[in-house]
Structure formats: C-alpha cells, structure tokens
Amino acid sequence: MEKGTLVEFRVQGDRRLGVVDRPDGKTRWFVVDERGQSHSLAPRQLTYTVNGETYKPSDIAKFLEQVKPYLDPSSLEVAWELLVENGETVTPVQMANLLFSESEPPYCYAAHCLLSEDKLYFKQKGEAYEPRSAAQVAERKHQIEVEAQKAKGQQEFLARVEQALKGEAVEWQRQDRQRLEALEKYASLVADIVRTGVNSDSLARAYPPPAPVLETMNMLGRSGTPPAAFQLLIDLGWWGPHENLFLRRSSISVQFPNKVLEVAQQRLDFPPTDLDANRLDLTHLKVYTIDDESTTEIDDGLSWEVLPDRQERLWVHIADPTRWLMPEDELDLEARKRGSTVYLPTGMIPMFPEVLATGPMSLVQGKICCALSFGIVLDETGAVEDYCIHPSLMKPTYRLTYEDVDEMLELGVEAEPEIAAIANWAKKRKTWRYNQGAISINMPEAMIKVKGDDVSIDILDDSSSRQLVAEMMILAGEVAARYGQTHNIPLPFRGQPQPELPPDEELLLLPAGFVRACAMRRCMPKSEMSITPVRHAGLGLDTYTQATSPIRRYSDLLTHFQLKAHLRGEDLPFSAEQLKEVMMTVTTTTQEVTMVERQTNRYYALEYLRRHPEQIWQITVLMWLREDSNLALILLEDLGLQLPMAFRRTVNLGEQLLVKVSLADPQKDMIQFQEIIYQEAAL
C-alpha cells in the first residue's frame, strides 16, 4: 500500500480516517489519524480505501468537509428505486456516479458512508451492495417505525416516572400499566425470599427477572431483583409501603368479575322467585342481632319466647342467602371459589358482592328479612329437648354491639328480659357441654386494625355477650347436624378427635393459667370435615356442623342448600359424593385464606411493635420452642400476641418479665426482644 493513501478504520465502533505512513512488519501498516495518533492496523481492519490521490494527516479535516454536504440518507431511496427492479449490485464508485454524477474521492467516500450506514435499502455483498426487495424494505420500515414508537414510549414512560418520583400525580398509560403489572408479579416474590437472607447478587441469579422487568429496571438504573422491584413500586406510589404481598401471592380475588357483579345487580333489581313460598311468619318476635360495631354482613339474630305450656323456646335466626341464588349459578360458583370472607386488619374481602351481602342477604334492623330459623327447647340441664327448623320471615328489632349487651346484662335492663333469658340459657348450655366433655382453652386473642396509617391492637375480650352468642351459634350447629343425622342428609359435618391431654399430675406441675392452657392447646388435634356425623370432642357434641354464617362461609352455605331442599321435600342439590368433592375444593381454598389472614396479622403485629421501640411490655414465658438454646414462646399480655424470644439466661415457664423490642422488621418477618431488668425499668 502506497504511503499517503487515505483509509478508513474503526476505533471502538467509531468511523475514523487515517493516512498510511509506513509498513509495520510484513502485513501491518502504521496509519496516522487527523489527531496525529499512530495506529498499527492489519488489512482486515481497513473498512475503506480512498483511491486516486495521496494525503497528509492535516488534509483529513478538509476532506471530511468536502464529504459532509453529500451525506443525506434520503438520497439512497432514489437509487434503490432505480436498482431494485433488476436487483443490480452497486459499488460506492458506481453509487457516486448514480447519485452525484461524480467519481472523485470525496463523492465516492460519501457514497461508501451512505451505503455502509444504511439499514433500510441496501445490504453489503462482498465489496458491493445489493438492493433489498420491496417486501424487505417494507418490513424494515415497519420495524424501524416500531422501534421508534418503542423508544418514544420509553422516553414518555421515563418522564412519567420522574413525575411520580417527585410525588406528582401521574396518569399512567396502558403500556405503563403492563410494565408495572409485570413488576408487581416479580416483586411479589419478596415475601417468599427476603426471609432467606440471601444477598442481591444471589437473589438475581436464583430469581432472574423476565425480559420486560429487566428492561424497565435497566432503563431506571435499578438492579433487577425482587426487593428492588418492590421498592420501585413503592417509590412510584403504585404500591403502599405495606403492600400485602401474602394476599398478592395467593389465589384470592380482591375484585369480583364484572359478570358476577352484573348478576348480583340483576338479582337485586329483579328478585328471583322464592322457592320457600310457605315461610313461617316470625315477625312478631323480638329479634336481637349482636355483632361488632364494624360488622356489615349481619347473618344471625336471637329471640326468646314463652310457649303456652310455660316452656321457653330459643330462636336462632340465620340469614338466608340461598333465597338469592341457586346451586351452580354464577353467584354460587364465585362464592365456592372464594371459600369464605377474608378478614384482614386493613378490611375484609367478602364472599358475595357487597350489594347483596350487606343488603338483602343480611338481617337488617327494621326490615322484614328471609331467614332459616332454628326453634329450640332446652331442658333444665341445657340439653336439646325439642327443636324445629323453618324457612322464615323475621324482622330484626335491635342491632346491638357486644358492648351494648354486656352493659344490659350488667345493669339488668328490665325492658329487655329476653336478653337476660337468652344469657341464662347460654350459661346452662355451656355447663351442659362441659359435662359432656367439652374442653375450654382460654388464651387472649389480639384484634389488629389498620385505618389509614394507624395500626392498633386490642385484646378480643371473652365477655358474657360473646359467650352468649357463641353458645347460641354452637347450639344451632348441633341442631342442624342432628336434623341431618336423623334424615340421613349428607352435610359438611365438623368433628374433632378426642385429644390426649397431659395427665393431671403433669399439668399441675405447670404454672396455672396461660402456661397450662398453652400446653393443652398443643395437644388438641385439628378439626375434621366429613359427610357423615362425627363427634366434636372440643365442643363436647356427638354431632355438629356450621350453619350460622352462610354469607361468610361457603361450608355453611352448603348446609343451607341441603337442609332447605329437604325441608321443601325436594331432591338434595348435592349427593354424598358431590358434596365430598366440593368440600375438598373449599377446604383447600379456606386453608389458603387462613394462612393469608395469619401472615397479614403477624406482619402488622410486627409493624406495631416496630413503631413502639421504647415501650416496655410485660410478658409471660409460655412454652419452650428450643429449650437447649433458650428459645421460648412468650405472651405479650397487653396485646394478646404470642411471639418467639431468645433469652440470654435461664428462665422458667410462667415467669413474668419486662421486655422491649430491640429489632422488628415486618418485611423480613424478624422480631427480637431484650429483657429489661428491674433497675432499668425503675429508671
């Protein structure tokens, strides 16, 4: 190659011109660029040679100025239209002649630059360039347009992200939502993996992000890990800092499908024919509904009456949602899929659309309501002497809270003798059950509520009113089960095997109260469901089913479907095998609901403790989790919370101590306490 030849080469992908200076060995050449820098290049590194003249490095800038006016990419379209029909190949020299009617070095180099940079009309074939077909060009144009739109969309998304990060209101577009929803799915892994304690790099390898997520995270300069995605969604205001990942990871639907909502509204606007045309009219009875103040699904009411023979009859009225649906219709199948209403500190997720659940399905004060009413006569010991079950019409007289009833019982309100009578029968009933072997385990229970950013914890008091309602619900469950047993009706019967409790002498060695109750609780087997009657040892009943919450528990709804069909003299909607199959599905769903409820309650319990780092709590040591390492289960008595604590010294079961929180991290499910010695507490 002649000294002074102008050549093109690339430096880290950038196009550069240089002048050949001298050989470097047998095959390489030293080339000096316009900056005076020398490069040792092999022939394969040269991308173009300017023929016809020799140059000095100082000439390069002037040469490029001569080339610049001719670097218009649109000019290639004209050349392509001339060449495409015959598919003729073209060299840079030929292209210079075609475009500029010139073949001088600046024109030829301009043609080379246009052809080598072109991604639309021509493709390189050896030393020449071949025109792409019309179809190929059309496809390339489409691709370029798509890429341009994508780039534009990315820039607009980044602009909205910047707005959101500044705390400004943002109107997210459909494409944005697709990105953010992909981030949601990936970020939901946090609840499972943060607890493993692995670092971010290991996390990224174990859970590689999907391509759309990785693209978004890279665009925003964030690492592609689930915790980083979680934090981004919080930073954008898309999620709150306490997003319920347990709920998101579950199969629980927060919203109802539009079709189900439409059906619910249709039932409300055009009530279906009542299959129970001959309902027993009980509107003359005084009916009390007793619930928490926040309860919106009111599914039970109580009455008491004196019969002509001076016997007393208790009535347990249960809401009748089957008045509004049929087995296997849209509402029934949606309720079956949900299994139960979900109760979380942040609110509830109902089993039925609220327009029905809190309206015509509920026992609303002052309105005539459809119900399934259980009339029960007890003997003096509290055993069931006689009973009847009727689809009914009733009218709730009073809506009372548990606090209202406690106050009425305490003051002995003479205007409401029914309340005192029901409470009296509830006590007899409880005594009777314990004489039948019922087992009582009383442990404080935390009730956690979240309103806005406020987290509160109260102990669910086992008051007289709550015991009254509980006994009446258990009574109705026994009567429903006895009716099913007598008439050989498959029902979702509930049972509990007889527990093997510690011997009395062993229990007496444990401190009385919570420690003993905790030891007994550990021995209690799980309750079971069966399509045939089975003893419930914990309740002291030979047969039992749940029938008192059909708006909130699907198994109770099944009981209503079966009982009401039999009372009408119709075929049962579910055979034994069909009922068994449905129960298995519902049990799996409700187990998931229970798990989400527990996990969410624990999260907010830890969040509450995190917010009170200086609070001193009195605790009772309940039981050993790992005695060899001094890890015990403790009870925070003021909150009703049971949590693990590792002690640095030997402690005894039942010992009461003072502690405060040293670490609480609800996201990582971590809680640590430190003991406060008496002198510290006094200070």
Side-chain angles (χ1 to χ4, degrees):
M1 189 178 296
E2 185 179 350
K3 179 180 172 65
T5 302
L6 187 62
V7 294
E8 181 191 81
F9 59 97
R10 301 268 179 170
V11 176
Q12 296 180 341
D14 292 333
R15 188 191 302 273
R16 192 171 295 186
L17 289 177
V19 175
V20 174
D21 184 37
R22 64 186 189 280
D24 179 16
K26 292 183 178 179
T27 58
R28 302 178 71 85
W29 295 88
F30 280 114
V31 175
V32 180
D33 63 21
E34 62 179 300
R35 303 171 188 172
Q37 294 177 334
S38 182
H39 305 265
S40 176
L41 304 174
R44 59 183 173 78
Q45 292 176 274
L46 304 180
T47 51
Y48 186 76
T49 301
V50 178
N51 295 312
E53 296 183 24
T54 59
Y55 297 83
K56 298 175 184 177
S58 57
D59 297 330
I60 294 174
K62 182 180 177 182
F63 179 81
L64 288 173
E65 284 297 318
Q66 293 175 311
V67 170
K68 191 174 180 180
Y70 303 100
L71 297 178
D72 178 10
S74 64
S75 62
L76 283 179
E77 184 175 5
V78 176
W80 173 78
E81 289 174 348
L82 294 172
L83 299 171
V84 66
E85 187 173 345
N86 295 323
E88 300 173 40
T89 60
V90 62
T91 64
V93 173
Q94 292 170 326
M95 182 60 76
N97 278 313
L98 185 61
L99 292 177
F100 315 121
S101 301
E102 295 282 354
S103 57
E104 296 299 312
Y107 300 101
C108 293
Y109 183 64
H112 158 73
C113 290
L114 290 172
L115 288 167
S116 62
E117 291 295 323
D118 176 55
K119 305 296 182 188
L120 181 57
Y121 297 106
F122 293 90
K123 58 184 176 182
Q124 192 167 5
K125 192 170 184 180
E127 296 294 321
Y129 291 84
E130 180 181 70
R132 299 179 191 273
S133 68
Q136 288 174 328
V137 169
E139 177 60 26
R140 298 286 289 182
K141 282 183 176 179
H142 176 68
Q143 288 177 358
I144 290 169
E145 184 179 347
V146 168
E147 288 168 4
Q149 286 295 326
K150 181 180 177 181
K152 180 185 177 185
Q154 287 178 344
Q155 290 304 312
E156 291 174 347
F157 172 68
L158 287 173
R160 286 188 287 273
V161 165
E162 286 301 315
Q163 274 184 276
L165 291 175
K166 292 175 184 175
E168 299 174 10
V170 175
E171 187 174 338
W172 298 106
Q173 303 301 304
R174 183 175 61 84
Q175 296 89 337
D176 301 339
R177 293 182 179 278
Q178 290 173 348
R179 285 184 182 276
L180 295 170
E181 285 164 6
L183 282 173
E184 283 184 326
K185 290 181 182 178
Y186 188 55
S188 294
L189 290 168
V190 170
D192 278 333
I193 61 182
V194 165
R195 300 176 191 183
T196 63
V198 296
N199 62 41
S200 295
D201 291 338
S202 301
L203 209 57
R205 288 193 297 272
Y207 298 91
V213 171
L214 184 61
E215 179 185 79
T216 301
M217 299 303 280
N218 285 342
M219 266 200 309
L220 300 175
R222 304 209 180 194
S223 62
T225 63
F230 177 80
Q231 189 58 49
L232 174 60
L233 291 168
I234 292 173
D235 293 344
L236 293 176
W238 184 260
W239 276 1
H242 302 292
E243 190 69 27
N244 193 332
L245 298 181
F246 310 112
L247 182 60
R248 283 192 168 276
R249 250 183 25 255
S250 73
S251 60
I252 299 167
S253 299
V254 177
Q255 304 294 333
F256 284 91
N258 287 334
K259 174 62 176 174
V260 173
L261 294 175
E262 289 170 9
V263 170
Q265 190 60 49
Q266 287 170 6
R267 299 286 165 87
L268 192 64
D269 296 338
F270 307 100
T273 302
D274 187 2
L275 299 179
D276 299 289
N278 299 316
R279 289 182 179 270
L280 181 64
D281 189 343
L282 297 176
T283 54
H284 62 283
L285 292 175
K286 191 184 287 186
V287 180
Y288 304 90
T289 63
I290 307 170
D291 285 287
D292 286 309
E293 190 174 355
S294 60
T295 301
T296 55
E297 299 171 330
I298 304 170
D299 50 17
D300 58 81
L302 303 173
S303 297
W304 171 82
E305 67 173 340
V306 180
L307 301 175
D309 61 2
R310 307 310 299 166
Q311 278 191 311
E312 298 176 20
R313 179 156 59 193
L314 296 164
W315 284 97
V316 181
H317 310 283
I318 306 302
D320 185 8
T322 63
R323 161 73 181 86
W324 300 90
L325 66 151
M326 295 285 289
E328 307 291 327
D329 71 5
E330 290 92 341
L331 291 172
D332 174 52
L333 293 177
E334 180 67 20
R336 187 184 304 178
K337 182 174 130 185
R338 290 169 176 267
S340 72
T341 293
V342 185
Y343 292 97
L344 303 174
T346 48
M348 71 164 190
I349 304 169
M351 187 172 79
F352 286 111
E354 286 191 60
V355 68
L356 291 177
T358 63
M361 284 185 178
S362 282
L363 304 183
V364 181
Q365 179 182 347
K367 291 189 176 181
I368 295 177
C369 304
C370 293
L372 186 63
S373 294
F374 297 78
I376 306 152
V377 176
L378 301 176
D379 66 21
E380 278 303 310
T381 68
V384 175
E385 184 176 295
D386 190 23
Y387 70 85
C388 59
I389 306 175
H390 297 281
S392 66
L393 293 173
M394 42 78 72
K395 187 177 181 181
T397 315
Y398 298 113
R399 179 180 175 177
L400 303 175
T401 65
Y402 290 108
E403 292 76 17
D404 293 334
V405 176
D406 284 328
E407 186 176 348
M408 292 167 72
L409 292 173
E410 187 177 339
L411 297 176
V413 178
E414 293 182 4
E416 305 298 334
E418 294 87 351
I419 289 289
I422 296 170
N424 182 54
W425 282 113
K427 288 177 183 176
K428 287 186 179 182
R429 177 70 185 165
K430 186 174 183 180
T431 300
W432 177 84
R433 285 197 305 107
Y434 285 113
N435 289 336
Q436 307 305 307
I439 300 166
S440 176
I441 300 175
N442 293 319
M443 296 289 291
E445 185 180 346
M447 184 168 62
I448 306 173
K449 296 288 184 186
V450 176
K451 289 186 178 179
D453 190 49
D454 183 52
V455 182
S456 64
I457 301 181
D458 295 305
I459 291 181
L460 196 60
D461 188 21
D462 188 24
S463 65
S464 298
S465 61
R466 291 185 185 275
Q467 291 180 29
L468 179 158
V469 172
E471 285 300 327
M472 293 299 104
M473 298 306 106
I474 294 169
L475 176 58
E478 182 194 3
V479 167
R482 284 176 61 168
Y483 185 89
Q485 184 177 29
T486 300
H487 298 282
N488 199 28
I489 304 171
L491 294 176
F493 293 98
R494 285 191 171 270
Q496 187 178 41
Q498 191 66 35
E500 294 183 13
L501 297 176
D504 288 344
E505 56 270 21
E506 189 176 318
L507 281 175
L508 289 172
L509 294 175
L510 296 172
F514 297 141
V515 176
R516 283 188 199 171
C518 187
M520 292 174 65
R521 184 183 60 188
R522 292 182 65 192
C523 300
M524 296 299 291
K526 290 183 178 180
S527 62
E528 302 171 345
M529 291 187 73
S530 171
I531 57 171
T532 54
V534 59
R535 177 170 171 77
H536 197 298
L539 295 178
L541 300 177
D542 290 332
T543 183
Y544 177 68
T545 187
Q546 289 181 314
T548 57
S549 294
I551 306 177
R552 300 186 277 187
R553 279 194 304 252
Y554 190 79
S555 60
D556 298 44
L557 190 72
L558 286 174
T559 300
H560 278 232
F561 276 136
Q562 298 288 83
L563 291 181
K564 286 185 63 186
H566 189 272
L567 289 167
R568 288 194 297 265
E570 298 176 357
D571 292 337
L572 299 178
F574 299 96
S575 68
E577 283 306 309
Q578 288 172 328
L579 187 68
K580 190 174 182 180
E581 186 177 334
V582 173
M583 282 165 53
M584 287 176 63
T585 302
V586 172
T587 299
T588 301
T589 304
T590 53
Q591 285 172 345
E592 184 179 30
V593 168
T594 300
M595 182 61 69
V596 169
E597 288 174 341
R598 285 178 182 169
Q599 289 171 326
T600 307
N601 273 292
R602 181 178 170 93
Y603 176 95
Y604 279 105
L606 299 192
E607 175 61 17
Y608 180 88
L609 292 171
R610 186 189 69 81
R611 297 182 182 194
H612 297 81
E614 299 305 317
Q615 179 74 43
I616 295 175
W617 307 101
Q618 180 168 302
I619 62 111
T620 299
V621 183
L622 286 181
M623 59 175 279
W624 292 113
L625 298 174
R626 288 200 304 271
E627 189 171 3
D628 57 344
S629 54
N630 275 357
L631 182 65
L633 184 69
I634 64 170
L635 170 67
L636 279 72
E637 296 182 11
D638 292 341
L639 301 177
L641 297 176
Q642 297 174 39
L643 295 165
M645 176 175 175
F647 289 92
R648 296 181 180 179
R649 65 177 181 87
T650 302
V651 295
N652 299 312
L653 295 183
E655 193 169 343
Q656 291 189 316
L657 308 167
L658 298 176
V659 302
K660 67 178 182 179
V661 175
S662 57
L663 171 67
D665 188 335
Q667 287 289 352
K668 295 182 179 178
D669 192 36
M670 292 175 62
I671 182 71
Q672 293 176 13
F673 298 95
Q674 65 182 74
E675 184 181 356
I676 306 299
I677 61 173
Y678 180 77
Q679 290 85 346
E680 273 187 77
L683 290 174

mmCIF file of all heavy atoms in Angstrom, residues 597-615:
data_model
loop_
_atom_site.group_PDB
_atom_site.id
_atom_site.type_symbol
_atom_site.label_atom_id
_atom_site.label_comp_id
_atom_site.label_asym_id
_atom_site.label_seq_id
_atom_site.Cartn_x
_atom_site.Cartn_y
_atom_site.Cartn_z
ATOM 1 N N GLU A 597 -54.597 -14.665 56.255
ATOM 2 C CA GLU A 597 -55.046 -13.902 57.419
ATOM 3 C C GLU A 597 -53.983 -13.925 58.519
ATOM 4 O O GLU A 597 -53.669 -12.892 59.121
ATOM 5 C CB GLU A 597 -56.365 -14.469 57.943
ATOM 6 C CG GLU A 597 -57.550 -14.175 57.036
ATOM 7 C CD GLU A 597 -58.833 -14.851 57.487
ATOM 8 O OE1 GLU A 597 -58.752 -15.820 58.278
ATOM 9 O OE2 GLU A 597 -59.913 -14.422 57.042
ATOM 10 N N ARG A 598 -53.428 -15.102 58.786
ATOM 11 C CA ARG A 598 -52.402 -15.216 59.835
ATOM 12 C C ARG A 598 -51.149 -14.427 59.479
ATOM 13 O O ARG A 598 -50.587 -13.709 60.311
ATOM 14 C CB ARG A 598 -52.038 -16.692 60.040
ATOM 15 C CG ARG A 598 -53.084 -17.488 60.806
ATOM 16 C CD ARG A 598 -52.667 -18.934 60.909
ATOM 17 N NE ARG A 598 -53.667 -19.736 61.598
ATOM 18 C CZ ARG A 598 -53.658 -21.067 61.637
ATOM 19 N NH1 ARG A 598 -52.709 -21.729 61.011
ATOM 20 N NH2 ARG A 598 -54.598 -21.725 62.282
ATOM 21 N N GLN A 599 -50.693 -14.574 58.235
ATOM 22 C CA GLN A 599 -49.470 -13.883 57.816
ATOM 23 C C GLN A 599 -49.653 -12.365 57.881
ATOM 24 O O GLN A 599 -48.748 -11.643 58.312
ATOM 25 C CB GLN A 599 -49.103 -14.308 56.389
ATOM 26 C CG GLN A 599 -48.605 -15.742 56.290
ATOM 27 C CD GLN A 599 -48.462 -16.189 54.840
ATOM 28 O OE1 GLN A 599 -49.219 -15.795 53.962
ATOM 29 N NE2 GLN A 599 -47.476 -17.025 54.582
ATOM 30 N N THR A 600 -50.834 -11.890 57.451
ATOM 31 C CA THR A 600 -51.083 -10.450 57.455
ATOM 32 C C THR A 600 -51.171 -9.918 58.879
ATOM 33 O O THR A 600 -50.638 -8.848 59.189
ATOM 34 C CB THR A 600 -52.376 -10.131 56.679
ATOM 35 O OG1 THR A 600 -52.297 -10.719 55.378
ATOM 36 C CG2 THR A 600 -52.565 -8.632 56.541
ATOM 37 N N ASN A 601 -51.841 -10.667 59.757
ATOM 38 C CA ASN A 601 -51.912 -10.258 61.162
ATOM 39 C C ASN A 601 -50.528 -10.210 61.792
ATOM 40 O O ASN A 601 -50.202 -9.275 62.532
ATOM 41 C CB ASN A 601 -52.817 -11.209 61.944
ATOM 42 C CG ASN A 601 -54.274 -10.795 61.881
ATOM 43 O OD1 ASN A 601 -54.667 -9.766 62.422
ATOM 44 N ND2 ASN A 601 -55.083 -11.589 61.212
ATOM 45 N N ARG A 602 -49.715 -11.195 61.490
ATOM 46 C CA ARG A 602 -48.359 -11.202 62.051
ATOM 47 C C ARG A 602 -47.552 -10.014 61.529
ATOM 48 O O ARG A 602 -46.823 -9.362 62.268
ATOM 49 C CB ARG A 602 -47.648 -12.516 61.720
ATOM 50 C CG ARG A 602 -46.236 -12.605 62.306
ATOM 51 C CD ARG A 602 -45.595 -13.946 61.990
ATOM 52 N NE ARG A 602 -44.186 -13.947 62.339
ATOM 53 C CZ ARG A 602 -43.696 -14.356 63.503
ATOM 54 N NH1 ARG A 602 -44.513 -14.772 64.455
ATOM 55 N NH2 ARG A 602 -42.396 -14.336 63.724
ATOM 56 N N TYR A 603 -47.693 -9.716 60.233
ATOM 57 C CA TYR A 603 -46.974 -8.581 59.659
ATOM 58 C C TYR A 603 -47.303 -7.302 60.422
ATOM 59 O O TYR A 603 -46.413 -6.554 60.833
ATOM 60 C CB TYR A 603 -47.351 -8.423 58.181
ATOM 61 C CG TYR A 603 -46.721 -7.214 57.520
ATOM 62 C CD1 TYR A 603 -45.541 -7.324 56.808
ATOM 63 C CD2 TYR A 603 -47.305 -5.947 57.629
ATOM 64 C CE1 TYR A 603 -44.944 -6.212 56.219
ATOM 65 C CE2 TYR A 603 -46.722 -4.833 57.055
ATOM 66 C CZ TYR A 603 -45.548 -4.972 56.347
ATOM 67 O OH TYR A 603 -44.961 -3.862 55.787
ATOM 68 N N TYR A 604 -48.610 -7.051 60.633
ATOM 69 C CA TYR A 604 -48.991 -5.802 61.295
ATOM 70 C C TYR A 604 -48.707 -5.826 62.791
ATOM 71 O O TYR A 604 -48.509 -4.770 63.402
ATOM 72 C CB TYR A 604 -50.460 -5.471 61.008
ATOM 73 C CG TYR A 604 -50.618 -4.813 59.655
ATOM 74 C CD1 TYR A 604 -51.144 -5.511 58.574
ATOM 75 C CD2 TYR A 604 -50.183 -3.509 59.446
ATOM 76 C CE1 TYR A 604 -51.269 -4.914 57.327
ATOM 77 C CE2 TYR A 604 -50.296 -2.905 58.209
ATOM 78 C CZ TYR A 604 -50.838 -3.603 57.146
ATOM 79 O OH TYR A 604 -50.937 -3.016 55.915
ATOM 80 N N ALA A 605 -48.650 -7.020 63.377
ATOM 81 C CA ALA A 605 -48.226 -7.109 64.775
ATOM 82 C C ALA A 605 -46.773 -6.647 64.901
ATOM 83 O O ALA A 605 -46.424 -5.857 65.796
ATOM 84 C CB ALA A 605 -48.372 -8.542 65.281
ATOM 85 N N LEU A 606 -45.928 -7.106 63.969
ATOM 86 C CA LEU A 606 -44.523 -6.692 64.000
ATOM 87 C C LEU A 606 -44.380 -5.209 63.656
ATOM 88 O O LEU A 606 -43.526 -4.513 64.213
ATOM 89 C CB LEU A 606 -43.691 -7.543 63.025
ATOM 90 C CG LEU A 606 -43.637 -9.050 63.291
ATOM 91 C CD1 LEU A 606 -42.547 -9.694 62.442
ATOM 92 C CD2 LEU A 606 -43.402 -9.365 64.755
ATOM 93 N N GLU A 607 -45.225 -4.729 62.744
ATOM 94 C CA GLU A 607 -45.181 -3.307 62.399
ATOM 95 C C GLU A 607 -45.574 -2.452 63.599
ATOM 96 O O GLU A 607 -44.970 -1.406 63.855
ATOM 97 C CB GLU A 607 -46.105 -3.035 61.206
ATOM 98 C CG GLU A 607 -46.254 -1.571 60.822
ATOM 99 C CD GLU A 607 -44.957 -0.891 60.406
ATOM 100 O OE1 GLU A 607 -43.974 -1.607 60.090
ATOM 101 O OE2 GLU A 607 -44.920 0.353 60.406
ATOM 102 N N TYR A 608 -46.582 -2.907 64.343
ATOM 103 C CA TYR A 608 -46.995 -2.184 65.554
ATOM 104 C C TYR A 608 -45.839 -2.128 66.549
ATOM 105 O O TYR A 608 -45.539 -1.061 67.118
ATOM 106 C CB TYR A 608 -48.203 -2.879 66.180
ATOM 107 C CG TYR A 608 -48.706 -2.209 67.441
ATOM 108 C CD1 TYR A 608 -49.649 -1.191 67.379
ATOM 109 C CD2 TYR A 608 -48.237 -2.592 68.696
ATOM 110 C CE1 TYR A 608 -50.113 -0.568 68.535
ATOM 111 C CE2 TYR A 608 -48.693 -1.977 69.853
ATOM 112 C CZ TYR A 608 -49.630 -0.963 69.769
ATOM 113 O OH TYR A 608 -50.077 -0.352 70.904
ATOM 114 N N LEU A 609 -45.172 -3.252 66.753
ATOM 115 C CA LEU A 609 -44.051 -3.287 67.701
ATOM 116 C C LEU A 609 -42.872 -2.450 67.195
ATOM 117 O O LEU A 609 -42.163 -1.822 67.981
ATOM 118 C CB LEU A 609 -43.618 -4.733 67.937
ATOM 119 C CG LEU A 609 -44.643 -5.596 68.694
ATOM 120 C CD1 LEU A 609 -44.211 -7.058 68.691
ATOM 121 C CD2 LEU A 609 -44.814 -5.097 70.124
ATOM 122 N N ARG A 610 -42.674 -2.426 65.879
ATOM 123 C CA ARG A 610 -41.592 -1.606 65.307
ATOM 124 C C ARG A 610 -41.794 -0.134 65.635
ATOM 125 O O ARG A 610 -40.832 0.612 65.832
ATOM 126 C CB ARG A 610 -41.543 -1.806 63.786
ATOM 127 C CG ARG A 610 -40.373 -1.123 63.105
ATOM 128 C CD ARG A 610 -40.491 -1.169 61.585
ATOM 129 N NE ARG A 610 -41.569 -0.332 61.111
ATOM 130 C CZ ARG A 610 -41.484 0.997 60.947
ATOM 131 N NH1 ARG A 610 -40.356 1.629 61.254
ATOM 132 N NH2 ARG A 610 -42.507 1.692 60.501
ATOM 133 N N ARG A 611 -43.068 0.266 65.691
ATOM 134 C CA ARG A 611 -43.379 1.674 65.947
ATOM 135 C C ARG A 611 -43.307 2.038 67.433
ATOM 136 O O ARG A 611 -43.483 3.201 67.778
ATOM 137 C CB ARG A 611 -44.782 1.992 65.421
ATOM 138 C CG ARG A 611 -44.918 1.822 63.909
ATOM 139 C CD ARG A 611 -46.321 2.193 63.455
ATOM 140 N NE ARG A 611 -46.488 1.991 62.015
ATOM 141 C CZ ARG A 611 -47.505 2.468 61.314
ATOM 142 N NH1 ARG A 611 -48.446 3.179 61.933
ATOM 143 N NH2 ARG A 611 -47.606 2.238 60.014
ATOM 144 N N HIS A 612 -43.109 1.055 68.292
ATOM 145 C CA HIS A 612 -43.057 1.313 69.735
ATOM 146 C C HIS A 612 -41.775 0.737 70.332
ATOM 147 O O HIS A 612 -41.810 -0.141 71.205
ATOM 148 C CB HIS A 612 -44.283 0.719 70.437
ATOM 149 C CG HIS A 612 -45.575 1.331 69.998
ATOM 150 N ND1 HIS A 612 -46.231 0.954 68.840
ATOM 151 C CD2 HIS A 612 -46.340 2.314 70.555
ATOM 152 C CE1 HIS A 612 -47.333 1.668 68.705
ATOM 153 N NE2 HIS A 612 -47.421 2.504 69.728
ATOM 154 N N PRO A 613 -40.616 1.220 69.858
ATOM 155 C CA PRO A 613 -39.339 0.636 70.310
ATOM 156 C C PRO A 613 -39.018 0.911 71.772
ATOM 157 O O PRO A 613 -38.256 0.171 72.388
ATOM 158 C CB PRO A 613 -38.309 1.291 69.375
ATOM 159 C CG PRO A 613 -38.940 2.591 68.973
ATOM 160 C CD PRO A 613 -40.411 2.312 68.886
ATOM 161 N N GLU A 614 -39.579 1.974 72.329
ATOM 162 C CA GLU A 614 -39.258 2.324 73.727
ATOM 163 C C GLU A 614 -40.294 1.799 74.719
ATOM 164 O O GLU A 614 -40.111 1.937 75.931
ATOM 165 C CB GLU A 614 -39.150 3.857 73.862
ATOM 166 C CG GLU A 614 -38.052 4.475 73.010
ATOM 167 C CD GLU A 614 -36.686 3.842 73.280
ATOM 168 O OE1 GLU A 614 -36.362 3.623 74.470
ATOM 169 O OE2 GLU A 614 -35.970 3.548 72.308
ATOM 170 N N GLN A 615 -41.371 1.218 74.207
ATOM 171 C CA GLN A 615 -42.412 0.708 75.099
ATOM 172 C C GLN A 615 -41.916 -0.525 75.851
ATOM 173 O O GLN A 615 -41.279 -1.405 75.273
ATOM 174 C CB GLN A 615 -43.654 0.340 74.278
ATOM 175 C CG GLN A 615 -44.803 -0.227 75.076
ATOM 176 C CD GLN A 615 -45.512 0.831 75.887
ATOM 177 O OE1 GLN A 615 -45.750 1.925 75.390
ATOM 178 N NE2 GLN A 615 -45.846 0.518 77.127
#
